[in-house]
Amino acid sequence: MLPALVKAQVPVDTTNAPDIDTTGQKDLIDIGLKLFKFKPRKYPKDKSQKQVYYSILPISTAVPGGSNVLVTSTTAGFYLGPRKTTYLSSVTFAPYFNFKGRYGLPIHSSIWLKNNSFNIEGDTRFLVYPQDTWGLGGGQPESDKVLINYDYLRFYQSVLKRISPYFYAGIGYNMDYYFDVNPTVGNQTVSLADFTHYSYGTTPDQKSFTSGLSLNFLYDTRQNSLNPIPGAYANIIYRFNTEVLGSDNNSRSIYLDFRKYISLTEAGPKNQLAFWSYYWTTISSGTPYLNLPAIGMDPYQRSGRGIEQNRYRGESLIYFETEYRKDITNNGLLGFVLFANVNSASQPNTRKFEYLNPAGGGGLRIKFNKKSNTNICFDYGFSKGYSDLTIALGEAF
């Protein structure tokens, strides 16, 4: 039997697309209006008038270490400039909790100023949450793991200025604070340093703190990141933590993210290929263990469908995924995807990639809102000895 897990994902930031022709298209809102005989909301003719659009997705999900949590993701979207020239700003609040002392309060924001002159990104989290860890690299059996209970406070903020069409550059501040770190096997506390053979962020004082600046570069030709049409995306984040700003150690890392979307037909129902690859690596010593690159811990925590979060961790991590997306119905209400991904985490002390860790799966798409082209996504993924069901608003990438 493959163990199963249901995960909830926070929607990624939306971006503005030009007004599209939705004639003949259908979504769940249309069905709800017809079923309950509601009158559709009337929007003002003057589209420059500011409006706020809300979406809510309540769900129950499992967490590492057992038990379920209740998750309610609420997203507010709004424009701060003309819709033809300004992307949609969004603020997402996705609290979760259970009845055994585990909870999280994450808030993510992406603010686009008028005419996309600036993009202001924010990611703030307070979590009381467990995660399993298997040490560094690959090749460890599933049973060779430690459950880490910890409290976590994150504060990331960045400001990017438009340099040219689709290209942005800026600076950010990043802070991670892990405290009350308690690694256990069963009911027995263990030494994280002895288990991982890694010296940073694994000491018995049960805490680690990183604080530093980042250089951010973004290139994005997608018109809608919830459901991208043909286009390209590239993101580079160079982070340098320093003791001057309070870090336990000086450390540096870089994250390189590249995506490409290709339409296989020029018109009609969706028929598309999507590709995603990232390389995430430390480029100095000093990075705390829980901040090291790990599968499923990319900025939006979307990678590795079909693989346990944190299953593979190393000083470097490389990832590749491809997905085929196609509409089932001509009205766009239903669709499906097929996906496959592979990752490799570097081996301890060598930075060599010795193990490839593949996963694959498929999913169903139901159109939630045809105006924003937003889907409810049900994805089933599997890998050796494991499977999961992911439910989300918006595509994985």
Side-chain angles (χ1 to χ4, degrees), residues 7 74 88 107 120 137 172 231 255 299-300 324 356 373:
K7 297 192 295 186
T74 303
L88 182 70
I107 301 175
I120 305 171
Y255 177 79
Y300 288 104
Y324 175 61
L356 295 177
N373 207 19

Side-chain angles (χ1 to χ4, degrees), residues 200-373:
Y200 297 101
T202 58
T203 55
D205 59 9
Q206 298 185 324
K207 65 181 180 64
S208 68
F209 185 79
T210 58
S211 175
L213 302 178
S214 65
L215 296 177
N216 303 269
F217 303 93
L218 174 66
Y219 177 81
D220 193 355
T221 68
R222 303 172 303 170
Q223 293 180 321
N224 185 340
S225 64
L226 280 175
N227 194 348
I229 64 173
Y233 170 93
N235 188 25
I236 300 175
I237 302 174
Y238 170 69
R239 177 175 175 180
F240 45 101
N241 303 304
T242 171
E243 295 176 356
V244 174
L245 295 178
S247 286
D248 294 335
N249 304 284
N250 295 323
S251 62
R252 294 177 292 154
S253 66
I254 191 167
Y255 177 79
L256 309 174
D257 188 322
F258 304 97
R259 309 178 192 186
K260 179 66 176 178
Y261 307 86
I262 302 173
S263 180
L264 301 179
T265 56
E266 295 182 359
K270 176 191 287 186
N271 190 20
Q272 185 184 70
L273 284 174
F275 302 93
W276 178 21
S277 180
Y278 70 76
Y279 178 64
W280 184 9
T281 184
T282 60
I283 50 178
S284 73
S285 61
T287 300
Y289 179 79
L290 292 174
N291 274 116
L292 289 175
I295 189 67
M297 297 303 290
D298 53 283
Y300 288 104
Q301 299 186 347
R302 293 286 189 135
S303 63
R305 283 177 293 177
I307 298 175
E308 290 175 87
Q309 190 180 61
N310 306 298
R311 180 63 175 88
Y312 304 104
R313 183 187 298 269
E315 292 177 282
S316 299
L317 180 77
I318 190 168
Y319 180 81
F320 179 79
E321 180 168 1
T322 184
E323 183 171 84
Y324 175 61
R325 303 171 179 174
K326 185 174 177 59
D327 283 342
I328 297 174
T329 59
N330 289 333
N331 62 12
L333 179 63
L334 298 177
F336 75 92
V337 302
L338 298 173
F339 61 86
N341 62 70
V342 62
N343 76 84
S344 184
S346 63
Q347 295 300 108
N349 304 317
T350 68
R351 292 187 180 267
K352 292 183 179 180
F353 297 105
E354 296 185 6
Y355 297 90
L356 295 177
N357 311 298
L364 175 69
R365 298 293 182 263
I366 303 176
K367 189 71 68 184
F368 182 79
N369 189 321
K370 63 188 180 186
K371 294 293 186 181
S372 62
N373 207 19

Side-chain angles (χ1 to χ4, degrees), residues 125-169:
R125 309 179 192 179
F126 176 67
L127 310 180
V128 177
Y129 196 70
Q131 63 174 204
D132 291 320
T133 188
W134 288 261
L136 300 180
Q140 303 92 334
E142 170 66 25
S143 59
D144 188 12
K145 62 184 177 181
V146 166
L147 177 66
I148 306 177
N149 291 279
Y150 65 89
D151 297 345
Y152 174 48
L153 179 63
R154 167 185 283 193
F155 181 76
Y156 291 2
Q157 291 287 329
S158 62
V159 178
L160 286 79
K161 176 178 172 53
R162 188 176 67 181
I163 306 301
S164 65
Y166 309 118
F167 178 67
Y168 299 80

